[in-house]
Amino acid sequence: MYCLTEIEAAGSTFGNYFRVTTFGESHGGGVGCIVDGCPPRIPLSEADLQVDLDRRRPGQSRITTPRKETDTCRLYSGVSEGVTTGTPIHVFVPNTDQRGHKDSLMMSFCFQDYKEMSIAYRPSHADATYDMKYGVRAVQGGGRSSARETIGRVASGAIAKKILKHFSGTEVLAYVSQVHQVVLPDGSVYHDTVTLDQIESNIVRCPHPEYAEKMIAAIDAVRTRGDSIGGVVTCIVRNAPRGLGSPVFDKLEAELAKAVMSLPATKGFEFGSGFAGTFLTGSEHNDEFFTDEHGTIRTRTNRSGGIQGGISNGEIINMRVAFKPTATISKKQHTVTREKKEIELLARGRHDPCVVPRGISLDNGFPLLCCHLCKF
Amino acid sequence: MYCLTEIEAAGSTFGNYFRVTTFGESHGGGVGCIVDGCPPRIPLSEADLQVDLDRRRPGQSRITTPRKETDTCRLYSGVSEGVTTGTPIHVFVPNTDQRGHKDSLMMSFCFQDYKEMSIAYRPSHADATYDMKYGVRAVQGGGRSSARETIGRVASGAIAKKILKHFSGTEVLAYVSQVHQVVLPDGSVYHDTVTLDQIESNIVRCPHPEYAEKMIAAIDAVRTRGDSIGGVVTCIVRNAPRGLGSPVFDKLEAELAKAVMSLPATKGFEFGSGFAGTFLTGSEHNDEFFTDEHGTIRTRTNRSGGIQGGISNGEIINMRVAFKPTATISKKQHTVTREKKEIELLARGRHDPCVVPRGISLDNGFPLLCCHLCKF
Amino acid sequence: MYCLTEIEAAGSTFGNYFRVTTFGESHGGGVGCIVDGCPPRIPLSEADLQVDLDRRRPGQSRITTPRKETDTCRLYSGVSEGVTTGTPIHVFVPNTDQRGHKDSLMMSFCFQDYKEMSIAYRPSHADATYDMKYGVRAVQGGGRSSARETIGRVASGAIAKKILKHFSGTEVLAYVSQVHQVVLPDGSVYHDTVTLDQIESNIVRCPHPEYAEKMIAAIDAVRTRGDSIGGVVTCIVRNAPRGLGSPVFDKLEAELAKAVMSLPATKGFEFGSGFAGTFLTGSEHNDEFFTDEHGTIRTRTNRSGGIQGGISNGEIINMRVAFKPTATISKKQHTVTREKKEIELLARGRHDPCVVPRGISLDNGFPLLCCHLCKF
Amino acid sequence: MYCLTEIEAAGSTFGNYFRVTTFGESHGGGVGCIVDGCPPRIPLSEADLQVDLDRRRPGQSRITTPRKETDTCRLYSGVSEGVTTGTPIHVFVPNTDQRGHKDSLMMSFCFQDYKEMSIAYRPSHADATYDMKYGVRAVQGGGRSSARETIGRVASGAIAKKILKHFSGTEVLAYVSQVHQVVLPDGSVYHDTVTLDQIESNIVRCPHPEYAEKMIAAIDAVRTRGDSIGGVVTCIVRNAPRGLGSPVFDKLEAELAKAVMSLPATKGFEFGSGFAGTFLTGSEHNDEFFTDEHGTIRTRTNRSGGIQGGISNGEIINMRVAFKPTATISKKQHTVTREKKEIELLARGRHDPCVVPRGISLDNGFPLLCCHLCKF
């Protein structure tokens, strides 16, 4: 009667009161999300979502995948006469016809016909574990592990941003702070003043022009070799509401960590002083309190990263997220098929040499989290 | 009607089907937990829990806090004739009388009487944010932010370990891999073979005797100065079930990150290649598959850290967790009172100079998570 | 900081592990559902869903609303090559162009132009409470309170039925046992043997032909007068798995009651002996146990309705559900507008004179509940 | 890999944001609850809870069970200096020593020694289904199916009442409206004006003195025969907040139905016009709106029972709950043992001849539900 059985995945939902469910994979009719619990009377249009979807989509520049996807969204419910109605919002992005074809181009194997290709496990992809768990495998585009799933996240995050903007002055910005060996030095970006325009001023989305150049060069170098690289995204939250987060299991940093580590290709998360803080003593690390000129209790330093005891304290929340190098590369690799036969695999076609510049769309995540934790 | 209101904290529960709720603070009658959803007919006694509670409790050695707490647990429901009955298990650890007294010794302030003390915010503690959020503050021991809250986690984790042991051969081990500047080099502990005995063989709980000595010396040095330090705990899971975790929001690494980052004093989480993996290229980073002599599909390397696409693949799961230096130090610090008055604060009394050796009790966390994710 | 604020509705989701989210209203692009947590490798096609959608849809006979809706469903994700993949299943039923027009015909008010119509509250509809809660109101078809919302429930229930059929011999049947004053006497339908064909053999869906005639006559009578009537649906579950339900808050009858009472127009729920059982003594009411010829422990009577202590015992589960008379009638009624002005309202157009024959599609609910409670 | 497996019970928790977990059974150390998510700064003492616990406990009068239980509660956490702190509130009611002894007296079987007694299934109790599900059975007092479990519900409901009182003028009253054949006629209790004192003025808790006498006589009659009877409790909510409940799955009546049907011995639930409403036509049943002298939109009649479209409309919420006759009777009954052997069973000792007068403590349920649905 009792045996070890993994409870089947219903893991496509995030949040309780602002509840997002994503659906879809690259080989079906489309992808998207349902947002349940959005407050009524928030102005919302398809154009609001499209801005963020465009920032996420592939094919934006030479350093991202050259695949072209238009990713045009439709709002099928929950909005009437330009405002939300409080009912579930259904966002749908159809898969375009060309896409299936291009995807099948993406993966072709030397010495293998299509049938065998469909059952080889790509190294460091989800192919093998999905097959273990579900006993099914769709080759085209990786099913739910496809980065295409994040379309639903970006769209719902865009809705959350509209809500945050409506109710508070909270601003969330993410930028690239490391690409492979190119590391932006601490303090070279001012978190008090950095702007979205500065971040968007170059294709790698690093607000420091000099380092941006170096990062782009690093991606170009690896792209021409058919290899890939990873990096780090820094994300900051200015004017976060004080008091977000709960004392025990649902600390704000715990919620942030879960949200971030649910993104494809992430390997690490830190906030405030992070791993580097372990090299300080308590007297070096503690953030002393003072009362500022407006009578607000503040901290002089911010090694706490805007969160103390699991609860936001009003200082800037900052976090860093490690993205591994893209697993798809244009180099021959050893692997096995579903039938456990060892083979050599060569993925031709197009891929992101570095996913980090697109990873900045995780700045949509904090608004999502904020709506999940707050009542508006 | 709609304004930004943080939904009040009900954050003391973890898990859905093996559901743990912790309760209690240091100034009340006691602390503990309710575990709902434990399978019936698992042998369980108070002694099973006491082993782990003893490993967690303060006063074990000169490098932890000298406070003595016996932390004797009682099982008040859910167990009958030595086995679980499938009903909620209630674990209660009374607060001893002496404790309240000792706690009040812990914190006394220069130039301040007791009344003022109760309203000063200790730097980098939860005092200020709790007060912002709840408008109440109990000085003794920090309320729910007290490390004493983790007693309920350790007790429920001990129950989870019994279940895991009953149904699978999964083994979870945590050890100290860094204390301040003393960093255990990569590869100096063999994750295939390291044992609990090796870890428990010294008071700092580092399985490498030579580095253990250095770590203990580092803690001794800072302890005598009244300062504190932090460090890193490495946690590994051997023989984890394959197929744990879900593809999208509930990836195994996301669940692990949330669980870990909900522990007091944690600042960062990484698994597999972690932040260091960002310095590799895709061709250096990918884990190639092969079929081993038992016909099992394995990976030659394990930069994936035992998780691919959010799902465990049967390799060793490994993760690293950063703990900041203890916020309580015996040095004078600037801070403000609840009334925004700037004061100097000096905490006398006893504290942990380094929380990391006790932080290894996070090895109880994975069994908890496993029971949350699995059906037994 | 603390005031009474209703937490905003995210109530469009049912279940945890087989999790259904419905979306859509009659005035938007379409309606449907996402089913997350469906096991993989279950054969599933659009035709499987269409059978049940056709049974639910309006316009089937003279005793239901004469509105014609085709309600053709599309499966946009979660199914590949005829079987489920374990990923979210997206079912979409577009609103047809004609529908919007017809809906606006449905409701027109004497002495009022369209603009005012949009803000009068129809008696015993959801108009007033929706407006209080959300501050928005869409006139066409009642928004989420529209019976059209149940399309998503029926579609997901049809998926659940496929799963139940795959894993157990459970059979769920609902039939009409009362229409207004026409009450089917107890015992006139044999729950051990009644079949779906018997139920579907007439347009009122009562398996007793003689009473079916009387019920149809009762509906015809009220239909021609522009009035409406209600009734009772009886639902039985044969071969339900033993052991469904939990001892305390999540008793099986509690879950059933919640599921049933979430359907539009329901006013009461009872199972087993129900309200009538209050007229018996304990010695008359208790179900004695015996061991049957197969060595199975059974009860001689079934006043428990197949559930004891909140847990199914293997006997037939039976329940009765009261549906009020349809609120939309073709008679002049007094009401108020949004601006609190008293007016007379006359709804022209088409409506269901009795919703009970379509209410039998609640037999899709138990499979849903079963999938919510079970792991397959 | 996929088989029908009931997901194990973690059903001891109710609510999300005001989250109650009950624990304990009659044979262990005690019973009680944890309330997580209670707002801070609400005055609360053990005496506040004791009032309601006394109303619930057995041995209050000759018509309830003569067992004496003091049920003295302790608050072990979450309260400091007489007010709540926002942290989990732990309420504990120890089982008294005498109780175990008395319980074992309660059940003894003719022709059977104690050992066999422990494995016979009492008709219409939870014994058989618990044993099927968990494979364990504790004879004393019925484990979690014991009415003693409701102590945790009553205690948490008492906390919820304090909150409701603090934030709104909502008043919840339950009274006995039927005992066996004695049926209080409709309209003989005025829901606008009935008071708690009127209800508590007699031991059967019916506010109509004449019918109260008849009900008491009916219970006396059956009590002396060793039999038992059931009845109906009516519960009303005055000044409920408008806007409670959500449109689809979480309609207010659905939440109420689940809460009510999770109580032991309940067989049916109805609100507003209930089952009787099925005998009306739409034109007879609809509640017309009008604007009252304060400018508030009201309904002239209240067949909707205070809820329209799943959302409270400000009218009095009324519901009726059927309780079956107590299953424990002092008469010989046929049943089987765990080993499927047929035996005769005679329970001696004490039991409630009618549980309905104690069932009125379900008036604590609505405050619980209200706190679950609202943000304070």
Side-chain angles (χ1 to χ4, degrees):
Chain A
M1 189 173 175
Y2 292 100
C3 57
L4 180 71
T5 318
E6 220 274 334
I7 292 172
E8 207 33 59
S12 297
T13 298
F14 180 80
N16 283 322
Y17 282 85
F18 184 87
R19 186 184 274 162
V20 175
T21 302
T22 71
F23 63 86
E25 39 267 321
S26 41
H27 59 270
V31 298
C33 63
I34 307 288
V35 177
D36 195 15
C38 182
R41 301 190 309 275
I42 307 286
L44 189 70
S45 69
E46 289 163 353
D48 290 325
L49 310 184
Q50 201 60 50
V51 173
D52 282 328
L53 290 174
D54 287 348
R55 206 158 63 109
R56 190 215 72 91
R57 77 180 159 76
Q60 305 170 52
S61 76
R62 75 175 187 275
I63 62 169
T64 62
T65 172
R67 272 178 295 125
K68 287 269 183 275
E69 296 168 11
T70 53
D71 293 345
T72 307
C73 72
R74 293 291 310 273
L75 279 168
Y76 278 127
S77 71
V79 176
S80 180
E81 302 174 17
V83 296
T84 59
T85 58
T87 62
I89 301 171
H90 180 208
V91 183
F92 189 65
V93 174
N95 289 334
T96 54
D97 287 348
Q98 303 93 307
R99 206 179 171 280
H101 180 57
K102 281 179 182 163
D103 269 336
S104 65
L105 285 183
M106 267 184 71
M107 289 277 310
S108 68
F109 297 58
C110 37
F111 319 125
Q112 310 293 336
D113 68 13
Y114 182 85
K115 189 151 170 291
E116 283 179 332
M117 173 185 94
S118 73
I119 51 171
Y121 296 137
R122 291 169 295 167
S124 291
H125 274 84
D127 302 348
T129 48
Y130 273 42
D131 205 355
M132 283 173 201
K133 189 178 179 88
Y134 297 109
V136 291
R137 203 196 142 211
V139 69
Q140 306 101 319
R144 289 288 281 167
S145 72
S146 163
R148 202 160 166 73
E149 180 275 331
T150 62
I151 285 178
R153 307 195 195 201
V154 169
S156 50
I159 297 171
K161 279 203 291 194
K162 293 282 289 188
I163 299 172
L164 264 194
K165 192 175 166 187
H166 207 255
F167 291 111
S168 77
T170 304
E171 196 177 11
V172 191
L173 293 171
Y175 63 87
V176 175
S177 55
Q178 181 194 328
V179 166
H180 199 217
Q181 317 276 2
V182 185
V183 183
L184 194 62
D186 269 6
S188 52
V189 169
Y190 295 99
H191 287 175
D192 286 333
T193 56
V194 62
T195 66
L196 180 62
D197 281 352
Q198 287 166 359
I199 294 167
E200 294 287 330
S201 69
N202 57 67
I203 56 177
V204 81
R205 289 175 173 133
C206 169
H208 192 295
E210 188 184 336
Y211 277 89
E213 284 306 306
K214 291 183 195 173
M215 290 171 179
I216 294 167
I219 298 174
D220 273 340
V222 79
R223 178 170 61 90
T224 54
R225 295 205 316 265
D227 210 340
S228 67
I229 48 180
V232 173
V233 171
T234 296
C235 182
I236 62 169
V237 184
R238 287 197 292 243
N239 294 317
R242 287 184 181 209
L244 276 182
S246 294
V248 184
F249 293 110
D250 300 340
K251 287 187 169 76
L252 184 55
E253 61 267 44
E255 299 275 10
L256 286 170
K258 178 167 179 183
V260 157
M261 297 302 295
S262 78
L263 291 169
T266 54
K267 301 297 286 184
F269 167 86
E270 59 182 7
F271 77 105
S273 62
F275 280 92
T278 60
F279 292 103
L280 302 177
T281 64
S283 56
E284 293 162 348
H285 189 274
N286 280 357
D287 294 319
E288 293 191 332
F289 289 106
F290 73 105
T291 305
D292 76 5
E293 64 277 20
H294 309 296
T296 304
I297 294 175
R298 301 280 312 272
T299 62
R300 287 199 190 278
T301 49
N302 187 20
R303 293 181 198 98
S304 299
I307 307 174
Q308 292 182 324
I311 299 168
S312 61
N313 66 358
E315 304 295 325
I316 293 177
I317 296 172
N318 62 351
M319 47 200 151
R320 297 175 74 248
V321 185
F323 285 86
K324 70 172 187 179
T326 312
T328 306
I329 55 176
S330 305
K331 298 198 157 191
K332 203 176 283 187
Q333 296 177 87
H334 294 275
T335 190
V336 298
T337 65
R338 198 179 197 184
E339 288 74 27
K340 303 185 177 178
K341 204 176 108 191
E342 308 206 345
I343 61 163
E344 282 198 323
L345 167 67
L346 177 58
R348 291 203 213 99
R350 294 166 290 188
H351 65 270
D352 265 308
C354 182
V355 81
V356 181
R358 290 172 63 204
I360 58 92
S361 65
L362 67 80
D363 58 8
N364 273 22
F366 185 83
L368 259 189
L369 186 62
C370 210
C371 289
H372 158 48
L373 295 175
C374 285
K375 158 81 192 76
F376 293 96
Chain B
M1 188 170 176
Y2 291 101
C3 57
L4 180 70
T5 316
E6 219 274 334
I7 292 172
E8 208 33 58
S12 297
T13 298
F14 180 81
N16 282 324
Y17 281 85
F18 184 86
R19 184 185 276 164
V20 175
T21 302
T22 72
F23 63 87
E25 40 267 321
S26 40
H27 60 271
V31 299
C33 64
I34 307 288
V35 178
D36 195 17
C38 181
R41 301 191 308 275
I42 307 286
L44 188 71
S45 69
E46 289 163 354
D48 289 327
L49 310 184
Q50 201 59 51
V51 173
D52 282 328
L53 290 174
D54 288 347
R55 208 158 62 110
R56 189 215 73 91
R57 78 178 158 79
Q60 306 170 53
S61 76
R62 74 174 188 275
I63 60 168
T64 63
T65 171
R67 273 178 295 127
K68 288 269 183 275
E69 296 169 8
T70 52
D71 294 348
T72 307
C73 73
R74 291 292 309 275
L75 279 169
Y76 279 126
S77 71
V79 175
S80 181
E81 302 175 16
V83 296
T84 59
T85 58
T87 63
I89 300 171
H90 180 209
V91 184
F92 189 64
V93 174
N95 290 335
T96 55
D97 288 348
Q98 303 95 304
R99 209 182 169 277
H101 180 58
K102 281 178 183 163
D103 269 338
S104 65
L105 285 183
M106 269 185 73
M107 289 275 313
S108 69
F109 297 59
C110 36
F111 319 124
Q112 311 292 336
D113 68 12
Y114 181 87
K115 190 153 170 288
E116 284 179 331
M117 174 184 93
S118 74
I119 51 172
Y121 297 136
R122 291 170 293 167
S124 291
H125 275 83
D127 302 348
T129 48
Y130 273 41
D131 205 355
M132 284 173 199
K133 190 180 179 88
Y134 298 108
V136 291
R137 202 200 140 207
V139 69
Q140 307 101 316
R144 288 289 280 167
S145 73
S146 163
R148 202 160 166 74
E149 180 275 330
T150 61
I151 285 178
R153 307 195 195 199
V154 169
S156 51
I159 297 171
K161 278 203 292 195
K162 293 281 289 188
I163 300 172
L164 264 194
K165 192 175 165 187
H166 206 254
F167 291 112
S168 76
T170 304
E171 197 177 9
V172 189
L173 293 170
Y175 63 88
V176 175
S177 55
Q178 181 193 328
V179 166
H180 199 214
Q181 316 276 2
V182 185
V183 182
L184 194 63
D186 270 7
S188 51
V189 168
Y190 295 99
H191 287 175
D192 287 331
T193 57
V194 62
T195 66
L196 180 61
D197 282 351
Q198 288 166 0
I199 294 168
E200 293 288 329
S201 69
N202 57 67
I203 56 178
V204 80
R205 290 178 170 129
C206 169
H208 192 295
E210 186 184 337
Y211 275 89
E213 284 307 307
K214 291 184 195 173
M215 289 172 180
I216 293 168
I219 298 174
D220 273 338
V222 80
R223 178 171 61 90
T224 54
R225 294 204 320 262
D227 211 339
S228 67
I229 47 181
V232 173
V233 171
T234 296
C235 183
I236 62 168
V237 184
R238 288 198 292 243
N239 293 318
R242 288 184 180 208
L244 277 182
S246 293
V248 184
F249 293 108
D250 300 340
K251 288 188 168 75
L252 184 54
E253 61 267 44
E255 300 274 9
L256 285 170
K258 179 168 180 184
V260 157
M261 297 303 294
S262 79
L263 290 169
T266 53
K267 300 299 286 183
F269 166 87
E270 58 182 7
F271 77 105
S273 62
F275 280 92
T278 59
F279 292 103
L280 302 177
T281 64
S283 56
E284 292 161 348
H285 190 273
N286 282 356
D287 295 319
E288 292 191 333
F289 288 106
F290 73 104
T291 304
D292 76 4
E293 64 276 21
H294 309 295
T296 305
I297 294 175
R298 302 280 311 275
T299 62
R300 288 198 189 279
T301 49
N302 186 20
R303 292 180 199 99
S304 300
I307 307 173
Q308 293 183 325
I311 298 168
S312 62
N313 66 359
E315 305 295 326
I316 293 177
I317 296 173
N318 62 352
M319 46 199 149
R320 296 175 75 252
V321 185
F323 284 86
K324 70 173 186 179
T326 312
T328 306
I329 55 176
S330 305
K331 299 199 158 190
K332 204 175 285 187
Q333 297 178 85
H334 295 275
T335 189
V336 297
T337 66
R338 200 180 196 183
E339 289 72 27
K340 304 186 177 176
K341 204 177 106 192
E342 309 208 340
I343 62 162
E344 282 199 321
L345 166 67
L346 176 60
R348 294 202 211 99
R350 294 165 291 189
H351 66 268
D352 265 308
C354 182
V355 80
V356 181
R358 290 172 63 202
I360 57 92
S361 64
L362 68 79
D363 58 8
N364 274 21
F366 185 82
L368 260 190
L369 187 64
C370 209
C371 289
H372 158 49
L373 295 176
C374 285
K375 160 82 192 78
F376 292 96
Chain C
M1 189 170 173
Y2 291 101
C3 57
L4 180 70
T5 317
E6 220 274 335
I7 292 172
E8 207 33 58
S12 297
T13 298
F14 180 80
N16 283 322
Y17 282 86
F18 184 87
R19 186 184 273 163
V20 175
T21 303
T22 71
F23 64 86
E25 40 267 320
S26 41
H27 59 270
V31 299
C33 64
I34 307 288
V35 177
D36 195 15
C38 181
R41 301 191 308 276
I42 307 285
L44 189 71
S45 70
E46 289 163 353
D48 290 325
L49 311 185
Q50 201 59 50
V51 173
D52 282 327
L53 290 174
D54 288 348
R55 207 158 62 110
R56 191 214 73 91
R57 77 180 159 77
Q60 305 171 50
S61 76
R62 75 174 187 275
I63 62 168
T64 62
T65 172
R67 272 177 295 126
K68 288 268 185 277
E69 296 169 10
T70 52
D71 294 345
T72 308
C73 73
R74 292 292 310 273
L75 279 170
Y76 278 127
S77 70
V79 176
S80 181
E81 301 174 17
V83 294
T84 59
T85 58
T87 63
I89 300 172
H90 181 208
V91 184
F92 190 65
V93 174
N95 290 333
T96 54
D97 286 349
Q98 303 94 305
R99 212 182 167 276
H101 180 56
K102 281 176 184 166
D103 269 336
S104 66
L105 284 184
M106 266 185 73
M107 289 276 312
S108 69
F109 297 59
C110 36
F111 320 123
Q112 311 292 337
D113 67 11
Y114 181 87
K115 190 152 170 287
E116 284 178 332
M117 172 184 93
S118 73
I119 51 172
Y121 298 137
R122 292 170 293 167
S124 291
H125 274 84
D127 301 349
T129 48
Y130 273 41
D131 204 355
M132 284 173 201
K133 190 179 178 90
Y134 297 109
V136 291
R137 202 196 139 209
V139 69
Q140 307 101 319
R144 288 290 279 168
S145 73
S146 162
R148 202 161 164 75
E149 181 275 332
T150 60
I151 285 178
R153 306 195 197 200
V154 169
S156 50
I159 297 172
K161 278 204 292 195
K162 293 282 288 189
I163 299 172
L164 265 194
K165 191 174 166 187
H166 207 254
F167 291 112
S168 76
T170 303
E171 196 176 10
V172 190
L173 292 171
Y175 64 87
V176 175
S177 54
Q178 182 194 328
V179 166
H180 199 217
Q181 318 275 4
V182 185
V183 183
L184 194 62
D186 269 6
S188 53
V189 169
Y190 295 99
H191 287 176
D192 286 333
T193 57
V194 62
T195 66
L196 180 61
D197 282 351
Q198 287 166 0
I199 295 168
E200 294 287 330
S201 68
N202 57 67
I203 56 178
V204 80
R205 289 178 173 129
C206 169
H208 192 296
E210 187 184 336
Y211 277 89
E213 284 306 307
K214 292 182 195 175
M215 290 171 180
I216 293 167
I219 299 174
D220 273 338
V222 80
R223 178 170 61 88
T224 54
R225 296 205 318 263
D227 211 338
S228 67
I229 46 180
V232 172
V233 171
T234 295
C235 183
I236 62 169
V237 184
R238 286 198 292 242
N239 294 316
R242 287 186 180 207
L244 276 183
S246 293
V248 185
F249 294 108
D250 300 341
K251 288 186 169 76
L252 184 55
E253 61 267 44
E255 300 275 9
L256 285 170
K258 179 168 179 184
V260 157
M261 297 303 294
S262 78
L263 290 170
T266 54
K267 300 298 286 183
F269 167 87
E270 58 182 8
F271 77 105
S273 62
F275 279 91
T278 60
F279 293 103
L280 301 178
T281 64
S283 57
E284 292 162 349
H285 190 274
N286 280 356
D287 294 320
E288 292 191 332
F289 288 107
F290 73 104
T291 305
D292 75 5
E293 65 275 20
H294 309 295
T296 304
I297 294 175
R298 302 280 310 273
T299 61
R300 286 199 190 278
T301 49
N302 187 20
R303 295 183 197 97
S304 299
I307 307 174
Q308 292 182 325
I311 299 168
S312 62
N313 67 359
E315 304 296 325
I316 293 177
I317 296 172
N318 62 350
M319 47 199 150
R320 297 175 73 251
V321 185
F323 286 86
K324 69 173 186 179
T326 313
T328 305
I329 55 176
S330 305
K331 299 198 156 192
K332 204 176 285 187
Q333 297 178 86
H334 294 275
T335 190
V336 297
T337 66
R338 198 179 198 185
E339 289 72 27
K340 305 184 178 178
K341 204 176 107 193
E342 309 206 342
I343 62 163
E344 282 199 322
L345 167 67
L346 176 60
R348 295 205 211 97
R350 294 166 289 188
H351 66 269
D352 265 308
C354 181
V355 79
V356 182
R358 289 172 62 203
I360 57 92
S361 64
L362 67 79
D363 58 7
N364 274 21
F366 185 83
L368 259 189
L369 187 63
C370 209
C371 289
H372 158 47
L373 295 175
C374 285
K375 158 84 192 77
F376 292 97
Chain D
M1 189 170 174
Y2 290 100
C3 57
L4 179 70
T5 317
E6 218 274 334
I7 290 172
E8 207 33 57
S12 297
T13 297
F14 179 80
N16 283 322
Y17 281 86
F18 184 86
R19 185 185 276 164
V20 175
T21 303
T22 72
F23 63 87
E25 40 266 321
S26 41
H27 59 270
V31 299
C33 64
I34 307 288
V35 178
D36 195 17
C38 182
R41 302 191 307 276
I42 307 286
L44 190 69
S45 70
E46 288 164 354
D48 290 326
L49 310 184
Q50 200 61 49
V51 173
D52 282 328
L53 290 174
D54 288 347
R55 208 158 61 111
R56 189 215 73 91
R57 78 180 157 78
Q60 305 171 52
S61 75
R62 74 175 188 275
I63 61 167
T64 63
T65 171
R67 273 179 294 125
K68 288 269 184 276
E69 296 169 9
T70 53
D71 293 348
T72 308
C73 73
R74 291 292 310 274
L75 279 169
Y76 279 128
S77 70
V79 176
S80 181
E81 302 174 18
V83 296
T84 59
T85 58
T87 62
I89 299 171
H90 180 208
V91 183
F92 189 64
V93 174
N95 290 334
T96 55
D97 289 347
Q98 302 94 305
R99 207 179 173 281
H101 180 57
K102 282 178 183 163
D103 268 338
S104 65
L105 284 184
M106 267 186 72
M107 288 276 312
S108 67
F109 297 61
C110 37
F111 319 124
Q112 311 291 336
D113 68 10
Y114 181 87
K115 189 153 170 288
E116 282 178 332
M117 174 185 92
S118 73
I119 51 172
Y121 297 136
R122 291 171 294 166
S124 291
H125 274 84
D127 302 349
T129 48
Y130 274 41
D131 204 356
M132 283 173 198
K133 190 179 179 86
Y134 297 109
V136 290
R137 201 200 140 207
V139 70
Q140 306 101 319
R144 289 289 280 169
S145 73
S146 164
R148 203 162 165 73
E149 180 275 330
T150 61
I151 285 179
R153 306 195 196 200
V154 170
S156 51
I159 298 172
K161 279 204 291 195
K162 294 280 289 187
I163 300 172
L164 264 194
K165 192 177 166 187
H166 207 255
F167 291 112
S168 77
T170 304
E171 197 177 9
V172 190
L173 293 171
Y175 63 88
V176 174
S177 54
Q178 181 194 329
V179 166
H180 199 216
Q181 317 275 2
V182 185
V183 182
L184 194 63
D186 268 7
S188 51
V189 169
Y190 295 98
H191 287 176
D192 286 332
T193 57
V194 63
T195 67
L196 180 61
D197 282 350
Q198 288 166 0
I199 294 168
E200 294 287 328
S201 68
N202 57 67
I203 56 177
V204 80
R205 289 175 173 132
C206 169
H208 193 295
E210 188 185 335
Y211 276 89
E213 285 308 304
K214 292 184 196 173
M215 289 171 179
I216 294 168
I219 298 174
D220 273 338
V222 80
R223 179 171 60 90
T224 54
R225 294 205 320 263
D227 210 338
S228 67
I229 46 181
V232 172
V233 172
T234 296
C235 183
I236 62 168
V237 186
R238 288 198 292 244
N239 294 317
R242 287 185 181 209
L244 277 182
S246 293
V248 183
F249 294 108
D250 300 341
K251 288 187 169 75
L252 184 55
E253 61 267 43
E255 299 275 9
L256 285 170
K258 179 168 179 185
V260 158
M261 298 302 295
S262 78
L263 290 169
T266 54
K267 300 298 286 183
F269 167 87
E270 58 182 7
F271 78 105
S273 61
F275 279 92
T278 60
F279 292 102
L280 302 177
T281 65
S283 56
E284 293 161 348
H285 190 274
N286 281 357
D287 295 318
E288 292 191 333
F289 289 106
F290 74 105
T291 305
D292 75 5
E293 64 276 20
H294 309 294
T296 304
I297 294 175
R298 301 282 310 275
T299 62
R300 287 197 191 278
T301 48
N302 187 19
R303 294 181 197 97
S304 299
I307 307 173
Q308 293 183 323
I311 298 168
S312 62
N313 67 358
E315 305 296 326
I316 293 177
I317 297 173
N318 62 352
M319 46 199 150
R320 297 174 75 250
V321 184
F323 284 86
K324 70 172 188 179
T326 313
T328 306
I329 55 175
S330 304
K331 299 198 157 190
K332 205 175 283 186
Q333 297 178 87
H334 295 275
T335 189
V336 297
T337 65
R338 199 179 197 186
E339 290 72 28
K340 305 186 177 176
K341 201 176 108 192
E342 308 207 343
I343 62 162
E344 282 198 322
L345 166 68
L346 177 59
R348 294 202 212 100
R350 294 165 290 187
H351 65 270
D352 265 308
C354 181
V355 80
V356 181
R358 291 172 61 203
I360 58 93
S361 64
L362 68 77
D363 58 8
N364 274 21
F366 185 83
L368 260 190
L369 186 63
C370 208
C371 289
H372 157 49
L373 295 175
C374 285
K375 159 83 192 75
F376 293 96

